[in-house]
């Protein structure tokens, strides 16, 4: 069975490849980057595939419930309804920080991404952003600044979030959506989430 992965922001395909191939070596994997056209790419995948949507990928997919209801199984890791702390819907990053990040990307995208990865506490990261242009990174930040998931789209989904996530307020997200599983001693890192949740694909 094929597993389709929708990546988080600022992470190249190599980030997913390393984790997926090591944890699930016997599966056929397809990797989708969070950029314009991601949904068209996902819609080409067969209904009986498993979809794993991570961070920004989860946010994008949650905004298209008709698309994620199409698949037999969808797993949301580090999902949120709104990334902006001011909205009090789970995000732990201020709008002003996102606007600053957007400007930084225009000056020095690699430095901006390295700073983000350090703040988020991600492992398995490399500077290989194959498939992601600076315009794609800015598009992703614009989604975080401007978009919000309609309340209720996170209800009754297979979802996990780390209690120690530096980018998201796990307690608030769980209070809004009690069906979300909170993992102790886990942060925003994809490998930690998969291992902590003991997800089998």
């Amino acid at each position: 069975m094929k597993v389709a992965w929708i990546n988080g922001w600022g992470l190249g395909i190599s980030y997913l490849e390393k984790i997926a191939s090591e944890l699930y070596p016997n599966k056929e994997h397809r990797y989708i980057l969070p950029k314009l056209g991601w949904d068209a790419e996902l819609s080409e995948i067969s209904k009986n595939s498993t979809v794993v949507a991570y961070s920004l990928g989860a946010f994008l997919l949650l905004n298209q419930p008709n698309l994620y209801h199409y698949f037999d199984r969808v797993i949301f890791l580090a999902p949120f309804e709104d990334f902006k702390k001011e909205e009090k819907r789970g995000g732990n990053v201020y709008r002003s920080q996102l606007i600053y990040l957007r400007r930084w990307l225009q000056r020095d995208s690699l430095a901006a991404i390295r700073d983000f990865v350090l703040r988020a506490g991600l492992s398995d990261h490399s500077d290989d952003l194959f498939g992601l242009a600076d315009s794609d990174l800015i598009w992703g930040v614009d989604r975080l600044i401007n978009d919000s998931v309609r309340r209720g789209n996170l209800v009754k989904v297979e979802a996990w979030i780390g209690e120690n996530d530096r980018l998201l307020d796990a307690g608030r997200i769980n209070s809004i959506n009690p069906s979300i599983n909170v993992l102790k001693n886990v942060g925003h890192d994809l490998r930690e989430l998969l291992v902590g949740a003991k997800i089998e694909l």
Side-chain angles (χ1 to χ4, degrees), residues 22 30 36 49 59 95 108 127 155 166 176 182 194-195:
E22 289 178 7
R30 170 97 176 251
L36 191 64
S49 300
F59 179 65
R95 182 191 298 268
D108 187 343
D127 290 336
V155 176
R166 299 179 191 176
I176 296 170
V182 179
L194 291 165
V195 172

Side-chain angles (χ1 to χ4, degrees), residues 69-124:
H69 284 310
Y70 170 78
F71 294 98
D72 290 343
R73 186 184 184 197
V74 177
I75 300 166
F76 293 95
L77 299 175
F80 52 91
E81 292 184 346
D82 197 303
F83 200 61
K84 300 175 291 295
K85 189 168 186 173
E86 295 91 331
E87 299 302 320
K88 299 180 179 178
R89 295 179 63 192
N92 214 19
V93 179
Y94 287 105
R95 182 191 298 268
S96 59
Q97 292 175 282
L98 291 169
I99 292 171
Y100 179 82
L101 175 60
R102 193 185 194 284
R103 291 177 185 150
W104 195 359
L105 286 168
Q106 294 172 316
R107 295 194 316 270
D108 187 343
S109 59
L110 192 55
I113 289 166
R114 285 174 175 165
D115 181 77
F116 164 79
V117 167
L118 184 65
R119 290 176 186 272
L122 305 182
S123 63
D124 298 297

Side-chain angles (χ1 to χ4, degrees), residues 4-8 38 42 50-62 68 74-79 158 160 190 193:
W5 301 78
I6 312 174
N7 211 356
W38 70 272
L42 182 63
T50 295
V51 178
V52 182
Y54 167 58
S55 194
L56 176 57
F59 179 65
L60 293 173
L61 188 55
L62 282 166
Y68 73 72
V74 177
I75 300 166
F76 293 95
L77 299 175
E158 190 176 347
W160 284 266
L190 176 59
L193 288 162

